[in-house]
Amino acid sequence: MSGDPRIERAGTLYERAVFGGDASALTEADRELDAVEADLALARGRVVHARSLEGGEEDPREPDLFERAADLYRRLGDLRGEGEALFWIGCFHQVVRRDHEAAGTALRRSYELAEATGDTLTMSYALRHLGVAEHMAGRLEPARELLEESARLRREIGFQPGVAANLVGLAYIAAAQNRGEDALRLLGEAARLAEESGAEGVARQVAEARAAL
């Protein structure tokens, strides 16, 4: 069996119910296993999402996995987990289905829960994708503010590849606002951070942005 302590705990609770006659232990066992299932659904959904991006086709399992994770976290009262799952639901709707209304609802709720639980990384992701939505809608200044705040949070926790990715987005916004020097400066910093952190995917984004701008 898995070495996950929650699964081992569920086994102990099973024995308490079967051999010790304590049926109430089964409720606690269910909670332990629901927590494992939620984590697994979220992790599996992220892998499916990455594969969908690579292949360019939607995988119908992806939204089901993220929705299942969010539902389980919600029932467990795990607000941090729910916030992370809601981010991925929003990301799926935005990136895969291009459904910006559904994405915005999930992303805003994700940010609220992440802020309430001190989950800085998820806050930064939600803000980034809300900024992307603003950019795509042509609202450049709100997009800039959201991406800058996301980048600030990512610097705070040392998430350099994420900072670099945001700087690329900010460079596109700067170019659209006729701030050419700022765009070049942002791309220069993004390239440096991408190289330092081994983020080759972001480095390619920098190269593409330099060619486009």
Side-chain angles (χ1 to χ4, degrees):
M1 289 184 75
S2 168
D4 190 306
R6 294 168 299 182
I7 294 179
E8 295 176 359
R9 173 72 173 156
T12 299
L13 291 164
Y14 155 81
E15 292 180 355
R16 185 195 299 175
V18 172
F19 301 114
D22 181 6
S24 66
L26 296 176
T27 299
E28 189 176 348
D30 279 334
R31 286 184 59 82
E32 296 283 1
L33 295 176
D34 282 348
V36 173
E37 184 181 347
D39 288 352
L40 178 59
L42 185 61
R44 179 73 69 186
R46 291 174 62 179
V47 170
V48 170
H49 178 76
R51 190 168 285 119
S52 293
L53 294 180
E54 185 70 20
E57 294 183 3
E58 178 180 331
D59 188 322
R61 294 178 299 164
E62 184 178 343
D64 291 343
L65 286 164
F66 291 141
E67 291 285 358
R68 177 61 174 162
D71 180 59
L72 286 167
Y73 285 130
R74 191 176 301 117
R75 285 195 276 157
L76 289 165
D78 184 344
L79 299 182
R80 186 185 183 100
E82 184 185 353
E84 186 177 359
L86 283 170
F87 163 73
W88 285 103
I89 290 170
C91 184
F92 167 77
H93 283 296
Q94 183 183 73
V95 175
V96 178
R97 288 194 173 164
R98 310 294 180 185
D99 183 345
H100 301 294
E101 182 175 352
T105 299
L107 291 170
R108 285 188 291 273
R109 181 57 178 157
S110 169
Y111 177 81
E112 290 172 359
L113 292 177
E115 184 178 37
T117 56
D119 185 354
T120 304
L121 180 60
T122 297
M123 288 171 63
S124 80
Y125 269 110
L127 288 170
R128 169 181 167 79
H129 282 260
L130 287 168
V132 168
E134 292 294 302
H135 189 185
M136 293 181 69
R139 295 185 286 268
L140 298 180
E141 197 54 33
R144 175 183 178 182
E145 291 172 1
L146 288 163
L147 285 179
E148 285 179 343
E149 177 61 10
S150 174
R152 185 190 69 79
L153 292 173
R154 290 178 169 190
R155 290 184 196 278
E156 188 177 285
I157 60 176
F159 182 26
Q160 284 192 249
V163 175
N166 279 11
L167 293 177
V168 174
L170 286 166
Y172 278 109
I173 292 170
Q177 293 179 321
N178 297 315
R179 295 185 291 110
E181 290 186 5
D182 285 344
L184 292 175
R185 174 183 57 78
L186 289 162
L187 289 176
E189 185 181 0
R192 176 179 62 79
L193 291 175
E195 181 178 3
E196 289 176 357
S197 58
E200 295 183 6
V202 180
R204 287 194 293 270
Q205 292 175 20
V206 172
E208 290 169 3
R210 280 174 167 162
L213 303 178

